[in-house]
Amino acid sequence: MSEADDRTSIESYKFHHIDTSKCKHCKEFSCEEACFRGIYEIINKETTPKCIVVEDREDMCVKCHICTTVCKFKAITID
Ligand code: SF4
Ligand code: SF4
């Protein structure tokens, strides 16, 4: 993947930013399991996994940073 593609692979919500190019290589889906607020959902788990922030749940985030810690690809940043 080119650098240009890498730069455009970050999907931003209100204050969560997910580098979805990294999710493509993910098999653990740790973020979805670890977030006790149900912020994340992984779509296309069997094909091309991609983490999304569930609509209307972002404000439930308490910024505990469990998700940023458990994601071994460091795909998640939180403002
Ligand atoms: S955010 Fe991290 S743990 Fe979650 S699906 Fe993407 S790469 Fe996997
Ligand atoms: S910081 Fe905590 S509450 Fe917010 S999305 Fe991550 S694990 Fe969930």
Side-chain angles (χ1 to χ4, degrees):
M1 184 174 281
S2 74
E3 272 181 43
D5 285 341
D6 277 344
R7 273 198 296 274
T8 55
S9 65
I10 297 180
E11 298 200 4
S12 291
Y13 298 83
K14 268 193 246 174
F15 54 93
H16 288 77
H17 310 278
I18 306 170
D19 186 344
T20 55
S21 68
K22 294 178 175 169
C23 301
K24 288 179 186 170
H25 311 289
C26 189
K27 291 187 169 55
E28 292 83 5
F29 312 128
S30 320
C31 58
E32 189 184 57
E33 243 173 67
C35 178
F36 54 92
R37 288 291 176 112
I39 306 292
Y40 302 110
E41 184 183 341
I42 322 298
I43 58 169
N44 301 330
K45 277 184 185 156
E46 305 301 323
T47 53
T48 313
K50 175 175 156 176
C51 174
I52 60 169
V53 169
V54 178
E55 200 177 354
D56 296 332
R57 288 202 69 84
E58 188 167 21
D59 288 336
M60 303 287 286
C61 175
V62 294
K63 300 197 177 184
C64 65
H65 280 274
I66 291 173
C67 56
T68 55
T69 306
V70 297
C71 173
K72 71 174 184 185
F73 294 110
K74 302 291 169 225
I76 303 170
T77 51
I78 297 174
D79 292 340

